[in-house]
Amino acid sequence: MNFRLWNLSARNNLNLYVFMGALIVVGAIFGALLVNALTLDQQQELADEVGVYLTTVQDSDNIAASATFWDSFLFYGKWLGLIWLLGLSVIGLPIVLALDFLKGVLIGFAVALLVRQLAWKGYSSSWLPRLLRMRLSYRRS
């Protein structure tokens, strides 16, 4: 019964889902183009920060899985709470659309930066830290 209600809702709002997906994809493309707009100094500084982050992930003995989980949970909970709060009013709709576009820009910028700095290693590094965190949390449980 529950699946049927979701299926009916998805069919009725398909144009909204397609629009939101296109908004996120356009934001990701825009974020990827922003990487090319960085100066050489900014690219070098970001490359250094990425290097520090990757060495921190590799030295995973200092990372507490539960603290990482709760930090991520609270961050995404705040994000969803903000979208829900803005969705209560008609005035919040443009802000929700802007937040979705911003989320796409952040994803596109992060992936494009990793790919540009680390070539094919950057492509795997864009999803590898999440897999490592999941593996660490299972290992410590």
Side-chain angles (χ1 to χ4, degrees):
M1 179 75 176
N2 190 14
F3 175 73
R4 214 166 170 203
L5 290 174
W6 168 252
N7 193 12
L8 182 63
S9 172
R11 265 189 262 146
N12 290 340
N13 297 318
L14 183 63
N15 57 354
L16 181 63
Y17 291 131
V18 169
F19 177 70
M20 295 302 281
L23 193 64
I24 291 173
V25 168
V26 168
I29 292 169
F30 187 73
L33 293 175
L34 281 177
V35 173
N36 294 330
L38 295 174
T39 64
L40 189 60
D41 293 336
Q42 292 170 334
Q43 289 178 2
Q44 187 62 38
E45 187 176 336
L46 284 173
D48 293 342
E49 291 293 328
V50 168
V52 168
Y53 175 74
L54 290 176
T55 55
T56 303
V57 169
Q58 288 174 353
D59 299 334
S60 59
D61 296 336
N62 300 332
I63 298 174
S66 62
T68 304
F69 169 77
W70 285 111
D71 286 343
S72 297
F73 185 79
L74 289 175
F75 175 76
Y76 290 117
K78 289 177 194 175
W79 189 268
L80 288 175
L82 179 64
I83 290 175
W84 177 79
L85 187 65
L86 291 170
L88 291 177
S89 68
V90 176
I91 298 171
L93 181 64
I95 300 172
V96 170
L97 296 176
L99 287 175
D100 286 338
F101 179 77
L102 177 65
K103 191 63 146 173
V105 168
L106 294 175
I107 291 169
F109 184 83
V111 171
L113 179 71
L114 289 173
V115 168
R116 183 178 180 126
Q117 296 297 327
L118 304 174
W120 280 105
K121 291 179 186 177
Y123 180 71
S124 63
S125 298
S126 64
W127 52 268
L128 187 62
R130 286 186 185 258
L131 291 177
L132 287 175
R133 273 192 261 156
M134 288 173 33
R135 185 174 176 224
L136 288 174
S137 65
Y138 288 131
R139 187 186 310 164
R140 293 181 192 231
S141 299

